[in-house]
Amino acid sequence: MIEKNEYEEVFEHWLIENHLQYAPVDQQKRKIFARNKIKSFDFILYPADSPPVITEIKGRSFKGKSLEKKSGLECWVTLDDVKSMLQWEQIFDEDIKTVFVFVYKIVNIDVETDGTDVF
């Protein structure tokens, strides 16, 4: 069974809706790397006419009232996150890309999106 957090689930639904090919990483199999310093990732994406993309999902709640100027939508990763993603690039192939995807759960139902696409 593949166990995902809510941010990964939402991202997966977005992938499905946008017809992007992907493979989720089985959370149970992440234990294989528990003794290693390298962190696992969440998905491998297979975009058309492009090398695969290793994807790490980062999720937080957005409690603001407006997305104007994208205030409150910070991006955050640790140095360990970055080092691990670079290691995955080396392990898989020099052509593979790695990305962090920042997923926000909008807490206020009446938030002003200021024209920003929201899924």
Side-chain angles (χ1 to χ4, degrees), residues 40-79:
S40 188
F41 51 89
D42 300 307
F43 294 92
I44 298 178
L45 310 182
Y46 299 98
D49 304 321
S50 179
V53 179
I54 293 173
T55 308
E56 171 66 13
I57 306 300
K58 299 291 188 181
R60 285 192 177 163
S61 294
F62 176 77
K63 297 178 181 176
K65 296 186 186 294
S66 173
L67 295 179
E68 183 181 15
K69 299 180 185 177
K70 309 300 185 265
S71 178
L73 297 177
E74 292 81 19
C75 301
W76 68 96
V77 293
T78 65
L79 182 56

Side-chain angles (χ1 to χ4, degrees), residues 56-103:
E56 171 66 13
I57 306 300
K58 299 291 188 181
R60 285 192 177 163
S61 294
F62 176 77
K63 297 178 181 176
K65 296 186 186 294
S66 173
L67 295 179
E68 183 181 15
K69 299 180 185 177
K70 309 300 185 265
S71 178
L73 297 177
E74 292 81 19
C75 301
W76 68 96
V77 293
T78 65
L79 182 56
D80 194 32
D81 291 331
V82 174
K83 285 179 179 178
S84 291
M85 293 298 265
L86 291 172
Q87 283 181 295
W88 284 117
E89 283 183 357
Q90 292 173 350
I91 289 168
F92 277 91
D93 188 311
E94 62 188 52
D95 291 333
I96 202 161
K97 303 291 183 206
T98 56
V99 298
F100 293 99
V101 174
F102 299 92
V103 178

